Amino acid sequence: ANLGAKNHAVVMPDANKEHALNAIAGAAFGAAGQRCMALSVAVFVGDSGEWISEIAERAKQLRVNGGFESDADLGPMISPEALTRAEHLVQSAIDEGATVALDGRGISVPKYPKGNFLGPTVIDHATPQMQCYQQEIFGPVLTCLRVETLDQAVELINSNRYGNGASIFTRSGACARKFESSVEAGQVGINVPIPVPLPMFSFTGNKGSFLGDTNFYGRSGVNFYTQLKTITSLWRKQDAEDRQATVHMPTIH
C-alpha cells in the first residue's frame, strides 16, 4: 500500500535557475498539489535561498479555475474539509514563526463562488519542527527551508518519516552522485521535479510512504499478479540407459 508523502527538492546554488524554478512551481502547484508525488518541500542550499521570492512570482501567475477550462493551471481542493485543513496548516506556519511569501487563502474565482479554492501558497523560513513540514498538506502549498550545505539537505530529508520521492537541481555531477547514493527516498530525480518512473519500472516509495513487500508497476507489479508454481521432479539416469526389456518381477533394490 502507498501511504503518505512529503516529497523534497534540493536546489543547489549552481542549478540552472530558470529550469529549477519553473519545474518546482509546476510540480508544487499542478493538480492543486493533490497528488502523491506533488513537490511539497523545497530545500534551498546557500545562496539559492534568494530565489524563493521568484518562485512566489511565478506561482502568482498561475491561473486558478474550475480545472476543466483550457486556461486553468490548477483547480479546487477536493472538499471543504480539505480546504479548511490546508488553510489551518498555512496559518500554523505563521503562528510558529514562518513567513508566507505568497498567500493563496481567500482567493476568488467569480465563476465558482462556492468552490473550495486555495491559490498557490509559498511558505518561507520553515523549520522541520513546524506542522506545515511535518504533515502532508496535500494542497497547492510549497514549504521552503534553507540550509547551508548539501549534507544538511540530505540529513533533513533522511530525518523525515516519509520516503516517497526526492529530487536535486544542480549542474554538478558530483553533487548529483552524492545525493542519489545517500538520500533515503524510493524515487530520486536529478533535475527532474517529479521522479515517477516509466511503468516498466516499479513505483518505489519507502519508509513511511510504503507498507508491504511488493511495489506496483514493473517486475514487482507483474509478480503481484503472478501465481507461482513449484515443481519437484526426479528423472533417473537408468531410465535413459536401459535398452532391453526385463521379464523378471520388478523389485526395489
Side-chain angles (χ1 to χ4, degrees):
N2 286 335
L3 305 178
K6 201 70 177 176
N7 303 311
H8 294 69
V10 173
V11 184
M12 299 298 294
D14 70 342
N16 181 322
K17 179 180 177 182
E18 295 304 315
H19 169 67
L21 299 188
N22 287 331
I24 291 171
F29 307 119
Q34 298 172 113
R35 50 188 173 190
C36 65
M37 290 303 296
L39 186 58
S40 55
V41 179
V43 184
F44 291 85
V45 178
D47 293 340
S48 69
E50 299 174 3
W51 303 348
I52 295 176
S53 61
E54 296 186 48
I55 285 190
E57 287 300 318
R58 281 170 167 76
K60 192 183 297 184
Q61 305 306 315
L62 296 176
R63 291 159 297 201
V64 182
N65 213 327
F68 293 99
E69 298 82 0
S70 60
D71 65 343
D73 293 311
L74 61 153
M77 300 287 288
I78 193 64
S79 69
E81 292 78 12
L83 174 62
T84 299
R85 179 178 179 277
E87 291 178 333
H88 168 75
L89 287 169
V90 173
Q91 184 60 47
S92 74
I94 298 172
D95 296 341
E96 293 174 358
T99 58
V100 176
L102 178 63
D103 194 340
R105 293 176 296 174
I107 188 171
S108 175
V109 180
K111 188 177 177 181
Y112 305 100
K114 296 182 179 180
N116 307 309
F117 293 104
L118 175 62
T121 299
V122 179
I123 297 172
D124 191 9
H125 297 289
T127 67
Q129 294 73 35
M130 294 180 179
Q131 294 182 62
C132 65
Y133 177 78
Q134 288 292 328
Q135 298 189 39
E136 182 178 19
I137 300 176
F138 217 69
V141 180
L142 178 66
T143 302
C144 299
L145 292 87
R146 302 173 184 236
V147 297
E148 291 301 317
T149 66
L150 175 58
D151 285 335
Q152 291 175 349
V154 171
E155 181 181 1
L156 186 151
I157 296 171
N158 291 350
S159 297
N160 192 279
R161 67 182 182 276
Y162 294 121
N164 218 13
S167 297
I168 185 171
F169 290 88
T170 180
R171 285 190 173 101
S172 167
C175 287
R177 182 64 173 169
K178 178 181 178 64
F179 181 79
E180 67 183 22
S181 63
S182 58
V183 73
E184 295 175 4
Q187 296 162 112
V188 178
I190 308 299
N191 296 317
V192 175
I194 301 180
V196 177
L198 293 172
M200 67 280 292
F201 301 102
S202 291
F203 189 99
T204 49
N206 60 25
K207 296 197 295 186
S209 295
F210 178 74
L211 178 65
D213 59 353
T214 302
N215 301 102
F216 61 90
Y217 294 166
R219 181 177 297 178
S220 295
V222 172
N223 288 341
F224 180 82
Y225 289 104
T226 300
Q227 184 176 37
L228 300 180
K229 178 186 290 185
T230 301
I231 299 172
T232 303
S233 62
L234 170 64
W235 297 102
R236 301 188 309 155
K237 178 181 178 183
Q238 297 91 320
D239 294 337
E241 294 178 343
D242 290 343
R243 294 292 182 271
Q244 184 177 354
T246 57
V247 295
H248 59 77
M249 190 72 173
T251 58
I252 299 177
H253 298 286

